[in-house]
Amino acid sequence: MSRTQNQNDHGRVSAAELQAMGRAFELARRGPQGSNPQVGAVLLAPDGQPLAEGWHQGAGTAHAEVVALAAAQADGRNALGATAVVSLEPCNHTGRTGPCSQALVKAGVRRVVYAVADPNPSAAGGAEQLRQAGIEVVGDVLAAQGRQLLQAWLAGFQPVRPYVILKIAQSLDARVAAADGTSRWITGAAARVHAHGIRAEVDAIVVGIGTVLADNPALTARTADGALAARQPERIVVGRREVPASAAVRGTGGALMRLPTHDPAEVLDRLAARGHRQVLVEGGPTLASAFLQAGVVDELHCYLAPLLLGAGTSAVSNLGIATLAQAQRWQISSTHLLDPDLLLIANPLKEKSCLPE
């Protein structure tokens, strides 16, 4: 069984909590889209069994966590020591309803697991309030799915540029291709299925023209059985060379757009103008390094295969780093075992004070 470990906070995310998060997403979709986010919540008993659930039914109504707590009480069930699994960080805001963070504290909840941090300045801070009350908090669990669910609402809080996920599939010694250029397949089937799931969630997938010419990828999102997923990302090819007429990227799938530039900022400006909120960068060490050096990668997905190549193409090229003190620092938010590979999900570490002296 694969397990997800969140190293940003404490503890592990159990299989029961992952299942509950999936259920929270289902519940959230029952709520109306509008000025308020769609949010679902599931309460788990200390033994991991479902205790109660709820979802937000629109502006002015009780929030999902409060609905779930009320359902537990109405059923004669005690939430003391329970775990609350929520699709959005519990709010810390008193408006037409009270702060969910305080309701959870008052109920005696022991642990809170959420998918997406609340970007609303007037409501954010619930996770910190919970921690100060002694409650264990784990965030960014199934975050990509959570952002997909909330993308319409999140659009009002996101920066102008899209959220950027960089995908790298590499060997243990950080090679993305062998000395002869072969790269299929470094990772196994489970990792590829996971990566296709992410493709189906994002608005666009970005590669360099070098990758198109060398590997001829289709850049489609496919299901586990190989069929085209219902939702396909727009395919963006970056670089000044033309895309061949016979290229697989011109085949069935999302729309194709060629951007004759090597500037990540220009790429993201163009994608933002097209309404894209979340993009996946997949295309080769040169493009990956350009986005990393520009400082515009929000989330890194590193699929690590248990093999050694000893030579071949490195995962990233020159980042302009001359000494260890200049190294880019990343915070691993979760790990996923995708037999036989390991997926590391990380975010840029912006607070230097977190580093050991």
Side-chain angles (χ1 to χ4, degrees), residues 286-355:
T286 301
L287 190 67
S289 300
F291 273 76
L292 287 167
Q293 195 164 9
V296 293
V297 176
D298 301 293
E299 187 170 299
L300 174 64
H301 288 195
C302 182
Y303 296 85
L304 193 59
L307 53 89
L308 297 169
L309 293 174
T313 307
S314 296
V316 295
S317 54
N318 189 357
L319 296 178
I321 295 170
T323 181
L324 186 61
Q326 299 173 344
Q328 290 191 12
R329 305 281 179 171
W330 294 75
Q331 174 74 54
I332 296 176
S333 60
S334 63
T335 63
H336 304 255
L337 184 61
L338 302 171
D339 189 35
D341 307 309
L342 179 66
L343 167 62
L344 304 179
I345 296 180
N347 306 96
L349 185 60
K350 300 183 183 302
E351 297 182 10
K352 292 185 178 179
S353 60
C354 294
L355 298 176

Side-chain angles (χ1 to χ4, degrees), residues 7-350:
Q7 299 178 1
N8 210 14
D9 297 277
H10 8 248
R12 296 178 184 174
V13 180
S14 68
E17 289 168 343
L18 287 176
Q19 185 174 2
M21 186 64 78
R23 176 60 178 166
F25 293 154
E26 292 177 6
L27 294 168
R29 293 186 182 95
R30 297 182 183 182
Q33 289 193 5
S35 58
N36 281 24
Q38 294 173 294
V39 183
V42 176
L43 294 178
L44 299 177
D47 63 358
Q49 294 300 309
L51 192 65
E53 60 186 31
W55 67 93
H56 182 51
Q57 299 184 24
T61 66
H63 290 187
E65 302 94 317
V66 175
V67 173
L69 290 170
Q73 185 177 25
D75 231 8
R77 300 184 177 186
N78 195 336
L80 184 66
T83 294
V85 179
V86 196
S87 56
L88 180 67
E89 176 188 2
C91 74
N92 193 42
H93 169 65
T94 300
R96 282 180 281 186
T97 60
C100 299
S101 55
Q102 292 305 311
L104 292 169
V105 171
K106 186 177 179 180
V109 166
R110 175 187 64 85
R111 176 175 164 92
V112 173
V113 177
Y114 69 87
V116 178
D118 195 329
N120 187 347
S122 65
E128 185 56 33
Q129 287 297 312
L130 292 166
R131 289 190 185 96
Q132 290 181 11
I135 295 174
E136 186 178 3
V137 180
V138 180
D140 297 326
V141 175
L142 301 182
Q145 294 180 37
R147 284 192 297 270
Q148 178 65 33
L149 169 67
L150 291 166
Q151 64 177 337
W153 178 75
L154 288 172
F157 302 99
Q158 291 179 338
V160 174
R161 71 165 179 82
Y163 187 92
V164 175
I165 300 172
L166 172 62
K167 173 204 164 186
I168 297 175
Q170 65 176 53
S171 63
L172 289 176
D173 52 348
R175 307 287 180 177
V176 295
D180 65 353
T182 55
S183 60
R184 294 188 179 182
W185 298 103
I186 283 181
T187 55
R192 296 197 296 274
V193 168
H194 183 278
H196 275 276
I198 300 299
R199 283 185 178 184
E201 294 177 1
V202 299
D203 300 311
I205 179 170
V206 183
V207 300
I209 184 62
T211 294
V212 170
L213 297 175
D215 298 337
N216 195 27
L219 302 183
T220 54
R222 295 188 176 273
T223 60
D225 61 3
L228 284 172
R231 188 175 187 274
Q232 293 292 321
E234 184 170 16
R235 297 174 285 190
I236 313 298
V237 179
V238 175
R240 296 191 174 90
R241 288 176 287 178
E242 292 289 342
V243 177
S246 60
V249 76
R250 293 189 180 275
T252 303
L256 171 65
M257 181 170 71
R258 175 177 163 267
L259 295 178
T261 180
H262 294 123
D263 182 3
E266 184 178 349
V267 172
L268 294 177
D269 284 346
R270 292 287 300 274
L271 297 184
R274 295 175 72 82
H276 293 332
R277 295 293 177 180
Q278 187 169 232
V279 303
L280 176 65
V281 176
E282 278 203 18
T286 301
L287 190 67
S289 300
F291 273 76
L292 287 167
Q293 195 164 9
V296 293
V297 176
D298 301 293
E299 187 170 299
L300 174 64
H301 288 195
C302 182
Y303 296 85
L304 193 59
L307 53 89
L308 297 169
L309 293 174
T313 307
S314 296
V316 295
S317 54
N318 189 357
L319 296 178
I321 295 170
T323 181
L324 186 61
Q326 299 173 344
Q328 290 191 12
R329 305 281 179 171
W330 294 75
Q331 174 74 54
I332 296 176
S333 60
S334 63
T335 63
H336 304 255
L337 184 61
L338 302 171
D339 189 35
D341 307 309
L342 179 66
L343 167 62
L344 304 179
I345 296 180
N347 306 96
L349 185 60
K350 300 183 183 302

